[in-house]
Amino acid sequence: MPDVELSDDGQIVTLISGSGTRTRFHAIWLRDNAWDPETRSAGNGQRLIALRDIPPDLRIDRARIAGSTLTLDFQPEIKSIDYNVDWLLAHGYDNGPGREAGWLAPGTETWDSGLMSAIPLADFNRATADGGVLRNWLSQLRRYGFGKMTGGPVEREALLKIAALFGYVRETNYGRYFEVRTEVNPTNLAYTGLGLQAHTDNPYRDPVPTVQILYCLENSAEGGENMVVDGFAAALRLKAENPAWFDVLSKYCARFEYAGEKGVCLRARRPMIEVSADGELIGVRFNNRSTAAITDVPFDDMATYYAAYRRFGEIIDDPAMEVTFKLTPGECFLVDNTRVLHARKGYSGAGSRWLQGCYADKDGLLSTLASLETEIQEAAE
Amino acid sequence: MPDVELSDDGQIVTLISGSGTRTRFHAIWLRDNAWDPETRSAGNGQRLIALRDIPPDLRIDRARIAGSTLTLDFQPEIKSIDYNVDWLLAHGYDNGPGREAGWLAPGTETWDSGLMSAIPLADFNRATADGGVLRNWLSQLRRYGFGKMTGGPVEREALLKIAALFGYVRETNYGRYFEVRTEVNPTNLAYTGLGLQAHTDNPYRDPVPTVQILYCLENSAEGGENMVVDGFAAALRLKAENPAWFDVLSKYCARFEYAGEKGVCLRARRPMIEVSADGELIGVRFNNRSTAAITDVPFDDMATYYAAYRRFGEIIDDPAMEVTFKLTPGECFLVDNTRVLHARKGYSGAGSRWLQGCYADKDGLLSTLASLETEIQEAAE
């Protein structure tokens, strides 16, 4: 059981572990993060007060620990609130590690062609029937941004059943789903037999679709293999080779555009490598077909920018980065479209190739996963 | 007609206007942005080559202007390419202005309660029938992040017709649309008669829904007025009052969470004020109900962070910032949910209040607008 100290001004509470580790909390943070039923709805967990309801001259005039409960008396509200000490220590913000730009979210792991021998995989019927199978597969999708599913029905719109396992389709100008096969007058190069360099989809759209599903219905043509590349691994390799290259691709916005069909004119202005304000690597956009004129890079940095862009593409094209597979009917793969690039080899000759594709979003996927993790943990307790 | 200069190493082309303004372009940028039919698909405008197809030892060995056409001879490809000089000057990146964090995209304008006398408005039937009316309304939505529509049908699901005017509904765990009226066991405080502080919706979701539609079917209860506040105006006012406050709210990530219903556990980690890597103000997330414990702010900055968060809320609550209105049946309003906060006053007593809400995305809205702008311009030429 830790000890507790209260600063003389009533503004800082310090928990002191048996080994002497000190974890400080501000009075305002503690008050805002109270879980008593007047502060948080017992039913849905939503906060019932706003910061404006907490007096600016807030202070704590007494702090004490009994068992795993910390009790704080707040003034001038004259309110006594209990806190779970373990919850507090799990949410401590003292002694945070200094982090360098390009850090990855917990549970994320980069990969290269070595993943070929351990492709995240689940069977459609098993994942449908068993929450544990679905949870493991979604967990791998979160970790690697990529996964395959096998054993699905060989029928139109089967991909919608995959999306329904974890979330919701994102409808766009391409429809709720779209046909990926050779067309005579293609509005998009995806609808030809051409090989496509590894890319993320729809970089010209904000918000970008964060999940893509490509589902195979026919694939007897020669060629047409799919490849995937971890954009985070590529970005971090670029950074290791030359930090200035990572810097220009993350500091300056590229521009993307698509206006290949009537009534559609999509444009976005985003970096090819996106890091959060505090340095987390959160996105990659890379698509030679729809990159527009890049005009937000200062003249003096443009040569470095293009050198970085070229090298980023070379890394993405490096076979050592790529996982390759050929889908058979009833199989599909999913990518986190903010991270993992996909490509396909050209195809032609006898036979046919017919895929259906759709977009969905990570919010639903991660929510379903978090919910399954909680349920399964609770069932085990 | 401008003059042209080519650097001795063949790497820089400079256009020189009659008044002497010099606009420089790099050879690699020019080659990448060529519009000849081998570089760009004539049909859909997509780029047919990748950067890997352009030789690294690229240089220009001749540059000449005739009329509005610049012709460049590239080596070692032995390729001569024509450029439209006006297009080049419109896409110049030389002499770019230095920009301070918090700059706004062109066509964006901040507002306060003064907008009450000029609420962006369109009639449903006119906007449906006339592309010019729709274009003007969407253009105001882009400018202000807010607009009302009147004269719609008083029937369930009418809001889906509003979304179809410009884009696609974003389905979530709340459904394709949701009912906003008092419920007995609410999963969300929105489904009560409580007043709600101005907020953006679903900050616990990535990607956040970028457009929200709230459509009125009944509103005879006392109270229940809607208010909207320009989050960009509030953020810039905070910055003017104290740049350090803007800095902490944009530099550090807050956390948001919602787990109010079975099977749902949504979490996001994003700043309350979001600026792009190069300083454009691109988003505001503010929602007292679903803000989770903020753990990504270093201890030494947490007091400043909370002072900034408090002041940001005070600015948002300031009546001088707010536009208020009461919807009547058949009316709705839309907000850019990455920018404009909405609120409602509490309601009770006799009568009823029934709204339907849904989410959509800005990509479709801005694409429809850009397309209408192009069509109408072409028709006028």
Side-chain angles (χ1 to χ4, degrees):
Chain A
M1 188 173 77
D3 276 336
V4 61
E5 264 183 25
L6 177 63
S7 66
D8 290 344
D9 61 2
Q11 293 305 312
I12 309 286
V13 171
T14 306
L15 296 178
I16 305 154
S17 75
S19 62
T21 303
R22 301 172 68 88
T23 308
R24 296 168 295 173
F25 297 89
H26 291 82
I28 182 67
W29 187 97
L30 289 161
R31 179 65 191 85
D32 191 37
N33 288 296
W35 281 90
D36 65 290
E38 289 172 353
T39 303
R40 286 275 188 175
S41 162
N44 58 43
Q46 289 187 293
R47 188 182 279 98
L48 297 163
I49 64 168
L51 206 50
R52 62 186 176 192
D53 301 312
I54 302 178
D57 57 346
L58 181 80
R59 65 184 190 284
I60 296 168
D61 70 358
R62 194 169 164 229
R64 56 202 179 280
I65 285 188
S68 62
T69 302
L70 169 72
T71 303
L72 302 176
D73 295 349
F74 287 92
Q75 296 290 350
E77 286 183 282
I78 318 185
K79 187 170 172 70
S80 179
I81 302 178
D82 289 342
Y83 295 83
N84 179 295
V85 168
D86 295 329
W87 186 91
L88 283 177
L89 291 173
H91 291 82
Y93 54 89
D94 203 356
N95 312 308
R99 289 183 290 202
E100 196 191 341
W103 59 272
L104 296 175
T108 302
E109 194 179 318
T110 57
W111 47 269
D112 58 19
S113 61
L115 191 67
M116 194 111 83
S117 59
I119 290 179
L121 197 67
D123 172 76
F124 173 72
N125 291 314
R126 291 194 60 219
T128 303
D130 182 342
V133 171
L134 180 60
R135 179 202 57 187
N136 289 344
W137 184 65
L138 294 177
S139 175
Q140 289 191 296
L141 272 165
R142 178 177 58 191
R143 178 169 300 276
Y144 301 114
F146 160 62
K148 262 182 77 176
M149 186 160 265
T150 57
V154 185
E155 61 187 34
R156 282 170 182 280
E157 303 197 350
L159 81 173
L160 302 179
K161 294 180 180 169
I162 309 297
L165 285 174
F166 61 81
Y168 305 92
V169 164
R170 171 103 73 92
E171 187 174 355
T172 69
N173 51 291
Y174 300 119
R176 278 179 61 74
Y177 65 92
F178 42 89
E179 311 291 346
V180 184
R181 55 181 166 187
T182 302
E183 290 181 2
V184 178
N185 290 309
T187 55
N188 196 300
L189 296 176
Y191 310 150
T192 67
L194 288 177
L196 298 174
Q197 187 185 27
H199 60 278
T200 60
D201 259 39
N202 290 204
Y204 41 73
R205 190 188 298 285
D206 261 318
V208 78
T210 51
V211 172
Q212 175 164 23
I213 305 175
L214 279 166
Y215 197 101
C216 179
L217 293 173
E218 296 175 7
N219 207 3
S220 59
E222 237 176 278
E225 289 87 356
N226 283 102
M227 293 94 85
V228 288
V229 174
D230 182 2
F232 283 3
L236 293 178
R237 185 171 151 193
L238 184 75
K239 184 166 185 278
E241 288 184 8
N242 187 338
W245 286 343
F246 181 90
D247 190 48
V248 290
L249 293 190
S250 59
K251 184 166 69 178
Y252 296 122
C253 287
R255 290 186 184 234
F256 302 93
E257 181 165 337
Y258 173 77
E261 55 190 284
K262 189 173 152 51
V264 173
C265 184
L266 290 155
R267 297 182 186 125
R269 199 188 77 86
R270 288 273 175 171
M272 293 201 193
I273 298 174
E274 196 166 0
V275 295
S276 72
D278 58 356
E280 182 188 345
L281 182 54
I282 55 173
V284 164
R285 293 192 191 212
F286 189 88
N287 190 318
N288 67 297
R289 284 168 289 148
S290 52
T291 305
I294 294 167
T295 56
D296 298 283
V297 178
F299 182 84
D300 290 341
D301 284 338
M302 188 62 91
T304 305
Y305 188 91
Y306 260 96
Y309 177 17
R310 178 184 290 274
R311 182 61 192 150
F312 194 35
E314 287 170 354
I315 291 171
I316 287 165
D317 289 341
D318 181 352
M321 303 294 286
E322 124 195 349
V323 167
T324 306
F325 50 92
K326 184 162 180 171
L327 294 177
T328 59
E331 291 186 343
C332 68
F333 74 98
L334 279 75
V335 288
D336 174 346
N337 188 52
T338 68
R339 169 181 173 186
V340 172
L341 302 90
H342 61 285
R344 72 144 188 256
K345 299 198 171 159
Y347 62 93
S348 62
S352 62
R353 186 177 190 271
W354 177 23
L355 271 57
Q356 291 189 319
C358 76
Y359 300 121
D361 278 307
K362 274 165 73 176
D363 59 339
L365 190 156
L366 296 175
S367 171
T368 301
L369 172 57
S371 176
L372 283 169
E373 286 174 335
T374 307
E375 280 172 26
I376 289 166
Q377 192 184 344
E378 281 171 0
E381 275 169 1
Chain B
M1 188 173 75
D3 276 334
V4 61
E5 264 182 28
L6 177 64
S7 66
D8 289 343
D9 61 2
Q11 294 303 312
I12 309 286
V13 171
T14 305
L15 296 178
I16 305 153
S17 74
S19 63
T21 302
R22 302 172 66 88
T23 307
R24 297 169 295 173
F25 297 88
H26 292 83
I28 182 66
W29 187 98
L30 290 161
R31 180 65 191 84
D32 192 37
N33 288 296
W35 281 89
D36 65 290
E38 290 172 355
T39 303
R40 286 274 187 177
S41 162
N44 57 42
Q46 290 187 293
R47 187 183 280 100
L48 297 164
I49 64 167
L51 206 50
R52 63 186 176 192
D53 300 314
I54 303 178
D57 56 346
L58 181 80
R59 67 184 189 283
I60 296 169
D61 70 357
R62 193 169 165 229
R64 56 203 179 281
I65 286 188
S68 61
T69 301
L70 169 71
T71 303
L72 302 175
D73 295 348
F74 287 91
Q75 297 289 350
E77 285 182 284
I78 318 183
K79 188 170 171 69
S80 179
I81 303 178
D82 289 344
Y83 295 83
N84 179 297
V85 168
D86 295 329
W87 187 91
L88 283 177
L89 290 173
H91 292 82
Y93 53 90
D94 203 356
N95 312 308
R99 290 183 287 203
E100 197 190 342
W103 60 272
L104 297 174
T108 302
E109 194 179 318
T110 58
W111 48 268
D112 58 18
S113 61
L115 191 68
M116 194 112 82
S117 59
I119 291 179
L121 198 66
D123 172 76
F124 173 73
N125 291 315
R126 290 194 58 220
T128 302
D130 182 342
V133 171
L134 180 59
R135 179 201 56 187
N136 290 344
W137 185 64
L138 294 177
S139 175
Q140 289 191 295
L141 272 165
R142 179 176 57 191
R143 178 169 299 275
Y144 300 114
F146 160 62
K148 262 182 77 176
M149 186 159 266
T150 57
V154 184
E155 61 188 35
R156 284 170 181 278
E157 302 196 349
L159 80 174
L160 302 180
K161 294 181 180 168
I162 308 298
L165 285 173
F166 60 80
Y168 305 92
V169 164
R170 171 104 73 92
E171 187 174 356
T172 69
N173 51 292
Y174 299 119
R176 276 179 63 75
Y177 64 94
F178 42 89
E179 310 290 345
V180 184
R181 55 182 165 189
T182 302
E183 290 181 1
V184 179
N185 290 309
T187 54
N188 196 299
L189 296 176
Y191 311 150
T192 68
L194 290 176
L196 298 175
Q197 187 186 25
H199 61 278
T200 61
D201 259 39
N202 290 205
Y204 41 72
R205 192 189 297 285
D206 262 317
V208 80
T210 50
V211 172
Q212 175 164 23
I213 305 175
L214 279 166
Y215 197 101
C216 179
L217 293 172
E218 297 175 7
N219 207 3
S220 59
E222 240 177 273
E225 290 87 356
N226 284 101
M227 293 95 84
V228 288
V229 174
D230 182 2
F232 283 3
L236 293 178
R237 186 170 150 193
L238 184 75
K239 183 166 186 277
E241 289 184 9
N242 187 337
W245 286 342
F246 181 91
D247 190 48
V248 289
L249 292 190
S250 58
K251 183 166 69 177
Y252 296 123
C253 287
R255 290 186 185 236
F256 302 92
E257 181 165 337
Y258 173 77
E261 55 188 282
K262 189 174 152 49
V264 174
C265 185
L266 291 155
R267 298 184 186 123
R269 199 187 78 86
R270 288 273 174 171
M272 292 202 193
I273 298 173
E274 195 166 0
V275 295
S276 71
D278 58 356
E280 182 187 347
L281 183 54
I282 55 172
V284 165
R285 293 190 191 213
F286 189 89
N287 190 315
N288 67 297
R289 283 169 290 146
S290 52
T291 305
I294 294 167
T295 56
D296 297 284
V297 178
F299 182 85
D300 290 342
D301 284 338
M302 188 62 90
T304 305
Y305 189 91
Y306 259 95
Y309 177 18
R310 178 182 291 275
R311 184 60 192 151
F312 194 36
E314 287 170 355
I315 291 171
I316 286 165
D317 289 341
D318 181 351
M321 302 294 287
E322 122 196 351
V323 167
T324 306
F325 51 92
K326 185 163 180 171
L327 295 176
T328 59
E331 291 186 344
C332 67
F333 73 98
L334 279 76
V335 288
D336 174 346
N337 188 52
T338 67
R339 169 181 173 187
V340 172
L341 302 90
H342 62 285
R344 71 145 187 257
K345 299 200 172 158
Y347 63 93
S348 62
S352 62
R353 186 178 190 271
W354 178 22
L355 272 58
Q356 292 189 319
C358 75
Y359 300 121
D361 279 306
K362 275 166 73 176
D363 59 340
L365 190 156
L366 296 175
S367 171
T368 301
L369 172 57
S371 176
L372 284 168
E373 286 175 337
T374 307
E375 281 173 25
I376 288 165
Q377 192 184 342
E378 282 171 358
E381 276 169 1

